[in-house]
Amino acid sequence: MTGSDSPAPKDGDGARPRARGVARPGRQDWSAWPEYDAATAGFRGYWYPVTWSSHVTGTPLAVTVCGEKIALIRDGGRAYALHDRCPHRGVPLSLGDQQFPGTLSCPYHGWTYRLGDGQLCAVITDGPESRICGKVTVRTYPVEERLGMVWVYVPLANEEPHPIDSQLPEEMVENPFVMGGRIQPRTGNWRFAAENGFDEGHAKYLHRTSLWRLFKPMPTWNITKIVPGGRWIYRVQQEVHWDAIFPGVGRWSNTRWWKFQPPKETFNIGNTGKPKKLDPVIEKCDFPGFASLSMPGVLRIVYPNFIHYEFYVPVDADNHRYVGVMINFTEGWKVAGFYLKYLGAIRWLFHGQFTGQDAWMVDVTDAPPEKLYRPDVSLTAWRGLAQEEFAKKKAAAGAQ
Amino acid sequence: MTGSDSPAPKDGDGARPRARGVARPGRQDWSAWPEYDAATAGFRGYWYPVTWSSHVTGTPLAVTVCGEKIALIRDGGRAYALHDRCPHRGVPLSLGDQQFPGTLSCPYHGWTYRLGDGQLCAVITDGPESRICGKVTVRTYPVEERLGMVWVYVPLANEEPHPIDSQLPEEMVENPFVMGGRIQPRTGNWRFAAENGFDEGHAKYLHRTSLWRLFKPMPTWNITKIVPGGRWIYRVQQEVHWDAIFPGVGRWSNTRWWKFQPPKETFNIGNTGKPKKLDPVIEKCDFPGFASLSMPGVLRIVYPNFIHYEFYVPVDADNHRYVGVMINFTEGWKVAGFYLKYLGAIRWLFHGQFTGQDAWMVDVTDAPPEKLYRPDVSLTAWRGLAQEEFAKKKAAAGAQ
Amino acid sequence: MTGSDSPAPKDGDGARPRARGVARPGRQDWSAWPEYDAATAGFRGYWYPVTWSSHVTGTPLAVTVCGEKIALIRDGGRAYALHDRCPHRGVPLSLGDQQFPGTLSCPYHGWTYRLGDGQLCAVITDGPESRICGKVTVRTYPVEERLGMVWVYVPLANEEPHPIDSQLPEEMVENPFVMGGRIQPRTGNWRFAAENGFDEGHAKYLHRTSLWRLFKPMPTWNITKIVPGGRWIYRVQQEVHWDAIFPGVGRWSNTRWWKFQPPKETFNIGNTGKPKKLDPVIEKCDFPGFASLSMPGVLRIVYPNFIHYEFYVPVDADNHRYVGVMINFTEGWKVAGFYLKYLGAIRWLFHGQFTGQDAWMVDVTDAPPEKLYRPDVSLTAWRGLAQEEFAKKKAAAGAQ
């Protein structure tokens, strides 16, 4: 007997269940991507940048990533991450300070944890022979530093983390570069931020009023293909339309007399297009497209003279951290030129007002339900990638 | 078989159910008026004033009525109301703007809806041949303009709206008048506001300190009858007591040496009393009482020289919009006198401080449970009217 | 048949249930003290100080204690407490005022309640013959005034309150004293405040940076015994350690060159120690310890020259009221000296910054789960006392 009132189906009676993982046309929910649907507070099992390295000092700092409250502290030049809750009475360890090298003490009773392994190694108010020492541990998180930022690994289970370099965009590893960037707390779920970043549809319309694009026209509509390439998916533009007449509605174009003429061809049209003016290091990479995305929410946009990255770091269901980075593989005296350009313009126009328009939309997006259209192939491809990559991740963690 | 465990009653076995719609003495809940009890966010199936006509322009405006989020926009002189949510990704359309005449475009991807019927008529970022055009619709709401305000019809199901003029107070239709008014967002459920407006009991006590009544005494207690008249109920005062001695407690009166002497007779005592000094237009109406109320929450108070109306517009369970209007059927040069009086005194004393006392009480009222007293016949009559009128409304909508 | 699926135990079959009230080692929840666990909004059946007597005047004041909303008013020199909700329409009576001596009237319709028994004795807007008079009552609460404060008894059921003097610290009754104090609303559950107050562990560590202790060193760790004594439990220090070397971690001490040398013996070591310098009145009391605690959350700390009390008054699950009092049994001209000391230093250093550190921790404590250590015997003894005393209280109330 089951709890259901309906009789058990007889042999041959039952309909074949629908195949999973395939979005049905007209689908309005995310059940085709169950892992993605469940990742409200982010995918565990990845490295996440949480703050600038310079903000992690001997005074602990509280951050939240994937819903986990974490205390960051620097000791002997190295950054450490501990679960931000003293098991004694639940007080955040980030309110405490360092009473002994290599440790962090809770502000309330001086319970003192070893930074390396989180073990309770001294309880100041219980004397040297405290019997609880060694019997209590706070969770620690693997920490690395890259791009001048502290990265924390949020484990899926108790697995060892994969090397952070295997998660970073390939061209960032072993190549020297200069960079500028911004880290901002933002409202809205991290998935809306990731989807917005890779979204083919919105940029031309939403950002038409951005100062960053004051003199550069943007197309009206494109035809875009999403091409998988290893752990990335690439957005490849196949057609670019600068002007359109909508039947019964009117003409629409983003070209203006004060803007440059649109290029005859965009540099990244087609499968084989490579950025022409990029530095030699980039030239060697195989960039079949302008924008690409990888897990756990890393966007790469290749501009002629630099590469822009966005990391969408989950905080909780309603908040994420936006990490925008602009890099250039310049060396020598050209570095000064990059910083001049970054600090004088890019930081304010691009990492400020332009991405601020995205922040605005990410904050007000409210899906599902949703109703997708042709350009949303960029969204569904990303959801498929996330679903597939995370399944691999889970299988690997389970195998450990 | 039903879902219930109890056996079906045999013939002759069942007790006659209690008559509905009649409050039992000592009753403390609202179960006698189930539709009214359920109308937490307002009664659907009515026209509601939502803002001043002058506030609805080519730039969309967001309002909420009966829990529905609505975007208002004016085009070609006419006001339109659309459900304030783009079906694509849930972005409020009120954040968008007009890219083509007769349409409203979502700010995110340029999904463009026809104002008249809400149909998706162009998707800027999908080109002229977008296959989704014509397949997506946002709900539209009937809109009318009266009293210098935009009114929206919130449907019960998919019914055609009744003519707005059949819902307005009769004397407002076809008679020229001058008016002044205020629209204010207020906290508290709309039903507390409607009940407060028609409440016979509170005015004499709560408003005794209002500046509006500085020189006019108010009675201590009255005996009042509620008289039904078409779609209205009327409050008819049968006895007016200016002074009272409460046994064992003391004497209480609102008369003061600096106030005018209370009138021997109030102008509206009795069933046949009519305001003496009203303009001829009003004289023709049959006003058996001073205060009257009709669905979906419209109060009319007839003063000797003007008529005051209050519309209690539901926003959500905890908020309503107060729309207070003062009209006079004056024409010609007397219009200037009305405006002088309204802007110089009525607006601040009556639509300001006096109704502010009501707003204060509506905000802190917390019922049910409640314990009603004799003057609350005005409340129970209103609940009965609402219950009955809404049942008719539902029957009519079902019949369509 | 019971609701349980398990068969009834046969004779001799059943295991002896675990003794209640004893915390098992490693326990992380509060199920050993079920009444304490349930007392989220405080223990009912006790007197609580709610505000300064001078704040209770002819204009009503709203307070919340044990989750009950109460209106306080003074009439004829006496303070009264009524449930702060008019049964008519739920409006807070504390928004009303006094229309007749010995009563309080609701601001909305003038429902007038007798302060002594809460009975509806007049309804201004219903005239002298109102039939509802005498049929409605608002709950009243017993009120007393002690220590310049108004105390309210929050009943468990409908029992008569015990005399307030039987609940006050014994030495406060019948002895003249001078006092200074502060009442502060604070965030955090009242139990965290009570536990913090009696907690043996934290003071030496948390308060090491307080100005109050700028020149007085505090121990590093102690060995403390909790001794029951009537309705109080006493904290008796058996060992005091000023310095400690934690193996593999380092040395820790709170002694500094600018602080006084730690005393060879603290005045209150051992079971028989009595404060040496206390006034004769105190000398007569049997104070076996420095700090003591009693229900429903009263802390007493005996300093050489005065006694400090803290009353932790439950407001709701997340808020409490901190009532800190410093008294001295001085009389005559020495009273001026006490006030000088209190207003000039104690009020700011001790009742300000020092207890502010406690407020900080009480706000961020988040237990259970918790992990207790040796010094937490002070917490578990208090929970046991509360559990036991409240069981007696309930039994007594049931017997009435």
Side-chain angles (χ1 to χ4, degrees), chain A residues 162-185:
Chain A
H162 54 258
I164 186 171
D165 289 341
S166 75
Q167 186 187 308
L168 288 180
E170 297 79 356
E171 66 282 4
M172 280 188 167
V173 182
E174 291 180 8
N175 288 320
F177 56 81
V178 290
M179 64 164 273
R182 294 189 98 159
I183 301 181
Q184 292 180 331

Side-chain angles (χ1 to χ4, degrees), chain A residues 14-20:
Chain A
R16 189 162 147 252
R18 274 169 167 290
R20 291 213 133 190

Side-chain angles (χ1 to χ4, degrees), chain C residues 229-289:
Chain C
R231 61 192 179 95
W232 295 83
I233 47 175
Y234 296 85
R235 224 169 69 196
V236 181
Q237 273 161 222
Q238 298 184 298
E239 286 180 30
V240 176
H241 298 267
W242 298 97
D243 211 312
I245 295 173
F246 294 92
V249 174
R251 179 180 170 271
W252 200 92
S253 175
N254 186 37
T255 54
R256 296 287 182 276
W257 64 260
W258 68 82
K259 295 193 184 218
F260 298 119
Q261 284 301 305
K264 290 271 186 301
E265 260 196 334
T266 45
F267 62 85
N268 53 4
I269 280 186
N271 250 336
T272 55
K274 282 184 195 176
K276 293 276 159 37
K277 300 187 213 161
L278 273 184
D279 287 298
V281 174
I282 286 294
E283 281 294 315
K284 286 175 222 148
C285 303
D286 177 32
F287 281 104

Side-chain angles (χ1 to χ4, degrees), chain B residues 1-11 13-15:
Chain B
M1 283 289 286
T2 67
S4 159
D5 284 330
S6 55
K10 295 170 194 163
D11 284 359
D13 232 355

